[in-house]
Amino acid sequence: MHVPDGFIDAPVSAAAGVVAAGAVAVSLRGARRELDERTAPLAGLVAAFIFAVQMLNFPVAAGTSGHLLGGALAAILVGPYTGVLCISVVLLMQGILFADGGLTALGVNVLDMGITTTVVAYALFRGLARVLPRTRRSVTVASFVAALVSVPAAACVFTLIYWIGGTTDISIGKVFTAMVGVHVLIGIGEAVITALTVGAVVAVRPDLVHGARGLTAPLKLRVDGELVDVPARQPVAPVAARSTRGLWATGLVTALVLAGFVSFYASASPDGLEKVAADQGIDKKTEEHAAKDSPLADYGVKDISDARVSGGLAGVIGVGATIVVGSGVFYVIRRRRTPAAPTGSAHDREMV
C-alpha cells in the first residue's frame, strides 16, 4: 500500500504531511513513557524486522500479492506511540533508499500505513484484552484479530484520501470495493504473521511485549469480608537485569535471513494497491520517484547483474540502515525519558 507520487494532489498530500508530522511529534513524546532500558534497544529491531518482512510479498489472488503493513505488530510489541515511529522509520528508509513510496506522498503513507494501522489495531487489541482471559493465548488471538482488521481499515483510509485528493476521475465506489476486497485477503496474511511473531516473543519473553503486560492477575485474599491484593513476590533477580541480547541477536539474524535470502522467493505479482491502481486507472498520473536513481532503487544494488545477489544485498543493507536509524531515534527518546507512567488500566486507557 505504498502510495507513489502523483496518486494524490499536492494540497491533500501537504495536508496529510501536516497531520502525519503532528502524529509523529505526539508519538515522540508518548514513546518516552513506553520505552525503558529493556525495550528501547528492541524498538529498532522491530522496525528492521518489519522492513524485512515487508519484502516478502505473498500471493492472495490471481495476479495479486500482499505484504505485511506492520502497524499491529509494532504496536503490540513495543506500544502504539513507538509503533507509529517504527513504521515511520521503515517508510522513510524505503522512500529515500529504495524509491518505494513517493516522497511527496510520505505523509499519506505515514498516515495510512503507520497511524491508521497502529491506532485501529491497538484500540481493538486492548478492547479484546479486556474481555478475553488474561493468558498468553489470548494475546495471540487478540493480535490476530487486530492485525486482520487493521489492513482493510487502511484501505478505507486510502480510499477516503483518494476521494478527497485523487488525481484521476474514477468512481470512488469502484475504488472502495476493489481496495477493501483485496486488502481483506491481505489482512489474513498480516494476521497470521503478526500472531505468529507475537506468540513467539510472548512464549520466551512476555515481559518485553507491551501488549502482554499484566497477563497474570494478582492473587487475592479475603480479609474481613473484602478481597485484597496479595503483595507481589519480588523475583530473585530484577526483570530489568535479564539480558535481551539473546532475543535481539535472534531477531536480527531472522531479519537478515528474510531480507537477504527468503525475499528472493517472494511473489513478483503487483501488490494490492498496484493491482487496483492498474485495473481502475488510478495510476494514470503517477510521477517518477525522486530517488529513482538511487543505487538501491527497486530493492536491488546497482551494477550487480545477478538478481539473487543484488536483491539479497539490498535487503541486508536495508535491514542494517533501518536498525541503525531506528535504534538511534529510540536511544535519544530513552535518554529524554520522563518519569514512567503507571502500566495499569489507566495507562492503557490513555494509550487507546
Side-chain angles (χ1 to χ4, degrees):
M1 204 180 293
H2 294 76
V3 179
D5 296 320
F7 274 28
I8 309 298
D9 63 28
V12 174
S13 294
V18 171
V19 173
V24 168
V26 171
S27 298
L28 285 168
R29 294 182 61 86
R32 296 177 191 173
R33 298 193 296 271
E34 294 174 343
L35 298 172
D36 56 30
E37 64 277 5
R38 295 176 298 131
T39 57
L42 296 177
L45 176 63
V46 169
F49 181 80
I50 290 173
F51 172 90
V53 180
Q54 283 196 3
M55 293 182 67
L56 308 181
N57 282 47
F58 48 85
V60 295
T64 309
S65 69
H67 63 71
L68 182 81
L69 298 186
L73 178 61
I76 295 165
L77 287 179
V78 292
Y81 293 122
T82 308
V84 169
L85 299 179
C86 284
I87 303 301
S88 298
V89 168
V90 171
L91 292 171
L92 183 63
M93 293 295 99
Q94 290 170 332
I96 293 176
L97 297 179
F98 299 94
D100 188 11
L103 296 184
T104 62
L106 182 60
V108 173
N109 285 319
V110 170
L111 178 59
D112 192 28
M113 295 179 63
I115 299 166
T116 299
T117 58
T118 301
V119 171
V120 170
Y122 195 72
L124 182 55
F125 176 85
R126 294 311 310 176
L128 291 172
R130 290 191 176 98
V131 299
L132 293 174
R134 298 170 70 173
T135 64
R136 295 179 183 181
R137 180 175 297 179
S138 295
V139 171
T140 303
V141 171
S143 300
F144 182 94
V145 176
L148 175 63
V149 174
S150 70
V151 178
C156 291
V157 170
F158 168 80
T159 304
L160 176 62
I161 294 173
Y162 192 81
W163 180 51
I164 298 171
T167 55
T168 54
D169 186 16
I170 304 296
S171 168
I172 199 64
K174 292 182 179 180
V175 174
F176 175 81
T177 301
M179 284 293 293
V180 173
V182 71
H183 283 91
V184 166
L185 299 177
I186 295 173
I188 297 173
E190 177 103 10
V192 171
I193 295 170
T194 300
L196 289 175
T197 306
V198 170
V201 179
V202 167
V204 295
R205 290 298 300 269
D207 57 298
L208 297 179
V209 178
H210 184 89
R213 293 177 180 176
L215 272 183
T216 306
L219 181 64
K220 294 181 179 292
L221 291 177
R222 188 174 297 277
V223 178
D224 296 330
E226 296 183 0
L227 290 176
V228 298
D229 291 344
V230 175
R233 295 178 59 187
Q234 295 296 322
V236 176
V239 173
R242 297 179 61 187
S243 174
T244 61
R245 280 181 291 184
L247 180 62
W248 196 92
T250 301
L252 178 59
V253 170
T254 301
L256 290 172
V257 170
L258 292 176
F261 177 72
V262 180
S263 62
F264 181 78
Y265 301 98
S267 172
S269 299
D271 65 24
L273 177 58
E274 292 172 333
K275 179 66 173 176
V276 172
D279 290 347
Q280 302 298 326
I282 295 175
D283 58 356
K284 292 179 180 178
K285 296 187 178 180
T286 303
E287 300 173 1
E288 281 192 331
H289 200 286
K292 64 182 178 62
D293 295 325
S294 165
L296 298 173
D298 297 323
Y299 297 93
V301 178
K302 189 176 182 180
D303 297 330
I304 295 182
S305 58
D306 188 296
R308 186 190 300 269
V309 175
S310 177
L313 184 57
V316 169
I317 293 172
V319 168
T322 303
I323 202 167
V324 168
V325 173
S327 297
V329 169
F330 298 125
Y331 175 79
V332 172
I333 292 173
R334 183 177 70 85
R335 295 277 293 181
R336 295 170 58 87
R337 187 183 179 196
T338 55
T343 58
S345 59
H347 182 55
D348 290 337
R349 285 194 295 271
E350 182 184 354
M351 291 296 97
V352 175

